[in-house]
Amino acid sequence: MTELAEHTDDVPDFAAFRDIPTTTLADLLGVEQVMDIGIRPLWGPVPRVAGPAFTVSCPPGDNLMLHAAVHRAAPGSVIVVESGDLRYALAGGNVCAVAQRHGIAAFVADGVIRDLAEVRDLGFPVFARGIVPIPGAKEIASPFGLPVRCGGVRIEAGDVVVADEEGVVTVPATRAPAILTAARAKLAKEAAETLDDWERAHRTRIEEILKARGFEG
C-alpha cells in the first residue's frame, strides 16, 4: 500500500476528495457505488473522510484480519471490511486507538464494533452497522487486498472511499480523476446559483414531468 501515497498520474488525489460531499458523488456515480443505509457513522458529528481502500475480509465471528490490518495499512487508508456478522464485534476501543495512532483515516465495516464511548472520545471515524458488546475470535487468516463487498458495493484495494454523515460512497480508482473534475464543476455551478434560480429551474422541471405524464391539477 505504500505506493498509494506517492503522487503519480495514475494515483487518485485522495486528499482532494475530502472536499467533495457524498451527495455530490452519489449524484454522479449512482446507487451502485453507494453503500446501503445500514453502513452509517456510529457517532457524530463525524468529519468527512476520504482515502484509499485497504480491503479486509473477516468471516462471521472472526476479526483477526482487521486486527492485523491496523499494523499494515498505510497512513491515510480507509480500512474496508467485508463481514456481514451482527453477533460479534470486529473491533473495540483499543484497536481503534491503535489505528488512529498509525494514521488510519477510518474504518468502514459491514459488521459491528464495541466500546463506542471510547471510540467516540477518541474521535476516530467508524462507519458500520452498529454496536454489540461481545468480541469476535481471532482464528482465520485470509489475504489482504482482494476485492470485497461492503454495504452492497464491490470495492477494490486502492479505490477512493468517501464517508460523511450522509453515508459512504466509493469511487473506482480508474474513474477517480474524471469524477473529481465533474464533482468540482458541479459544486462550483451550485455555489453560483441562488435559491431563486434553483426554485425556478426546479418548478419548470417538475411541471414538465407532470405534463408529460398527463397530470392536470
Side-chain angles (χ1 to χ4, degrees):
M1 291 295 291
T2 55
E3 68 271 21
L4 291 173
E6 298 173 2
H7 293 285
T8 72
D9 292 339
D10 298 325
V11 177
D13 187 350
F14 297 107
F17 276 92
R18 288 198 292 268
D19 296 327
I20 310 299
T22 56
T23 49
T24 300
L25 294 173
D27 288 345
L28 295 171
L29 289 161
V31 69
E32 292 80 8
Q33 298 303 131
V34 180
M35 293 190 189
D36 69 54
I37 191 173
I39 311 297
R40 62 191 186 278
L42 297 187
W43 56 268
V46 68
R48 182 177 302 123
V49 298
F54 186 96
T55 55
V56 178
S57 180
C58 291
D62 198 282
N63 60 29
L64 174 62
M65 297 318 294
L66 172 56
H67 286 233
V70 302
H71 302 289
R72 289 165 171 78
S77 298
V78 176
I79 295 181
V80 181
V81 187
E82 177 178 329
S83 171
D85 183 17
L86 302 181
R87 300 170 302 163
Y88 296 94
L90 289 163
N94 284 343
V95 171
C96 291
V98 171
Q100 186 180 58
R101 176 184 289 180
H102 289 193
I104 305 304
F107 288 166
V108 174
D110 201 329
V112 293
I113 71 160
R114 68 178 196 164
D115 302 329
L116 179 60
E118 294 178 30
V119 176
R120 182 174 56 238
D121 290 345
L122 286 169
F124 182 70
V126 177
F127 299 79
R129 293 201 180 273
I131 52 174
V132 74
I134 188 168
K138 296 170 182 62
E139 298 178 353
I140 302 174
S142 59
F144 293 125
L146 298 179
V148 297
R149 292 195 72 82
C150 185
V153 177
R154 185 180 188 274
I155 303 104
E156 296 189 9
D159 285 350
V160 184
V161 181
V162 183
D164 59 22
E165 63 185 1
E166 300 281 351
V168 185
V169 179
T170 66
V171 185
T174 56
R175 299 181 62 190
I179 293 297
L180 180 60
T181 298
R184 284 171 164 165
K186 187 174 190 301
L187 289 171
K189 179 180 178 182
E190 291 171 353
E193 184 179 52
T194 68
L195 182 58
D196 288 342
D197 294 335
W198 187 91
E199 182 180 4
R200 281 192 294 271
H202 178 260
R203 181 168 185 172
T204 297
R205 176 171 174 262
I206 296 302
E207 294 302 325
E208 288 175 351
I209 294 171
L210 292 173
K211 182 178 180 180
R213 284 154 179 73
F215 178 82
E216 297 180 5

